[in-house]
Amino acid sequence: MRYFIVDDDPASRTMLKNIIIDGDLGVVIGEAESGASGLQTILTINPDVVLIDLLMPELDGIETIELLGKKGFQGQFIMISQIENKEMVGEAYEKGIEFFIHKPINRVEVQSILKKTAEQFRLKGSLLTIQESLANIGLANQIKRQSSVKEIVLTTLNDMGIIGEAGSDDIIAIIEFLMIQEHKVAQLPPLKDLYEAVAKKQGCPESDINKESKAMEQRIRRTLLAATNNLASLGAIDYTNHEFEYYAPRYFDFQEIRKQMIFIQEGKDEPVRIKINSKKFLQVLYLETLEKYSQN
């Protein structure tokens, strides 16, 4: 299960995240301190479940749920609140929440509710599978639409839980730029040259290309750092997890992810410094995208 936490209290977000990880209930793929700041990210990364506080600045929990529903989000909601007003609780259920978690947060209550939500999610998935199977009878000869480069890259970034990160758009732009080159190369050019070429293609003024290139480099590094954290969390929970097994050794320096896994497992206070190899990541992503695109 992929969770997103929206709560203006950092301590509550940390506590919920720890309960999910410690209870082997899934992975937290993102968090936000308000409904307004989390809205677009939730729509982009499409978590299975959103744990959302009722009372928040700008947009409260009910307003956020209503907006997400209008924009097509179909994931599940769990409301977090210390309010027990029957009218507000009733309104929340009308907007589509599945369960309430009461504050102060209780580990046993959270684990019980998340297990029930996961079971509902699995049942819903089984029903959808049956419906899709029935709908596809007689359509075996339908022509399959070719996936675009962006769709292929987004699938990979989604597996790593980093679609909502600022550098994800830069990564997509770089791979799209490489894919339209007439002569495909096995080895990428120097990253500085690549960043500048993409910035220029995007219409960046000549005087700002160097500045935008450096900004792009930093956005990508922060995004890849988030990916290493996500994969390390998956590996710490389940060493045989498919995404962890596939992406950690291929796209990253595995020893760096291993250091982060040890940090998570041992609960150390001092965060570890992780080295990010952006060129390795982009190199592997480019070659895999090229292979998948040619197989369409």
Side-chain angles (χ1 to χ4, degrees):
M1 297 291 290
R2 299 160 63 251
Y3 296 95
F4 192 98
I5 303 171
V6 185
D7 196 312
D8 58 339
D9 179 17
S12 293
R13 296 199 304 271
T14 299
M15 190 177 299
L16 287 167
K17 186 188 299 184
N18 289 340
I19 292 172
I20 289 169
I21 293 173
D22 294 344
D24 196 17
L25 299 170
V27 60
V28 177
I29 61 171
E31 57 182 81
E33 61 183 12
S34 70
S37 63
L39 200 65
Q40 189 55 53
T41 305
I42 292 170
L43 292 171
T44 302
I45 65 178
N46 196 31
D48 301 320
V49 180
V50 176
L51 292 92
I52 185 166
D53 190 21
L54 176 57
L55 300 179
M56 293 183 295
E58 297 183 75
L59 287 175
D60 65 28
I62 293 175
E63 292 169 333
T64 305
I65 290 171
E66 190 172 20
L67 279 173
L68 287 168
K70 288 180 179 179
K71 293 179 180 293
F73 178 70
Q74 296 183 348
Q76 295 177 300
F77 294 101
I78 296 175
M79 185 70 78
I80 312 161
S81 178
Q82 59 188 10
I83 302 295
E84 295 187 6
N85 182 292
K86 290 184 179 180
E87 290 183 0
M88 294 187 74
V89 171
E91 185 180 359
Y93 277 113
E94 287 177 2
K95 298 300 180 184
I97 72 157
E98 301 292 334
F99 295 101
F100 253 92
I101 291 175
H102 299 93
K103 287 187 175 181
I105 292 170
N106 179 282
R107 178 180 294 269
V108 174
E109 180 190 19
V110 173
Q111 289 181 336
S112 174
I113 287 174
L114 294 191
K115 286 175 182 176
K116 290 177 183 176
T117 308
E119 183 60 30
Q120 285 189 0
F121 186 85
R122 283 190 288 270
L123 289 172
K124 183 178 178 181
S126 298
L127 289 173
L128 287 174
T129 300
I130 293 171
Q131 291 172 352
E132 289 172 0
S133 297
L134 292 172
N136 287 330
I137 292 175
L139 299 179
N141 294 324
Q142 184 176 359
I143 297 174
K144 181 182 178 182
R145 181 179 67 85
Q146 185 180 41
S147 297
S148 68
V149 170
K150 183 175 182 178
E151 288 170 336
I152 294 171
V153 176
L154 277 172
T155 298
T156 299
L157 300 185
N158 182 64
D159 285 346
M160 298 185 199
I162 53 173
I163 286 182
E165 299 293 330
S168 61
D169 290 337
D170 297 309
I171 292 170
I172 292 168
I174 287 170
I175 301 303
E176 287 182 325
F177 173 81
L178 291 168
M179 291 291 289
I180 62 172
Q181 302 307 302
E182 183 177 352
H183 301 291
K184 301 294 188 292
V185 294
Q187 294 295 321
L188 297 188
L191 290 187
K192 182 177 182 295
D193 296 347
L194 186 55
Y195 295 155
E196 290 180 352
V198 171
K200 186 174 182 180
K201 184 178 184 299
Q202 292 176 331
C204 183
E206 193 72 32
S207 58
D208 294 336
I209 284 180
N210 185 51
K211 180 180 177 181
E212 173 58 21
S213 171
K214 292 179 179 178
M216 188 182 301
E217 178 185 17
Q218 291 305 313
R219 289 194 298 266
I220 290 174
R221 286 183 61 82
R222 287 194 295 269
T223 298
L224 299 189
L225 180 60
T228 62
N229 290 335
N230 292 342
L231 291 172
S233 296
L234 290 174
I237 295 169
D238 178 10
Y239 205 78
T240 64
N241 177 276
H242 172 72
E243 281 77 16
F244 171 77
E245 282 191 321
Y246 187 84
Y247 293 112
R250 283 178 175 82
Y251 282 75
F252 301 93
D253 295 330
F254 186 76
Q255 289 304 316
E256 298 302 309
I257 290 186
R258 179 64 183 150
K259 286 195 299 188
Q260 183 67 8
M261 287 171 61
I262 294 171
F263 167 73
I264 293 171
Q265 291 168 335
E266 297 183 355
K268 295 180 179 179
D269 295 329
E270 290 294 326
V272 294
R273 292 182 63 85
I274 302 295
K275 296 178 182 177
I276 299 299
N277 190 337
S278 300
K279 189 162 188 177
K280 177 179 179 179
F281 179 92
L282 292 171
Q283 177 77 63
V284 176
L285 180 60
Y286 165 62
L287 293 176
E288 288 208 343
T289 303
L290 187 61
E291 181 182 0
K292 290 175 183 176
Y293 190 78
S294 66
Q295 291 175 352
N296 270 323

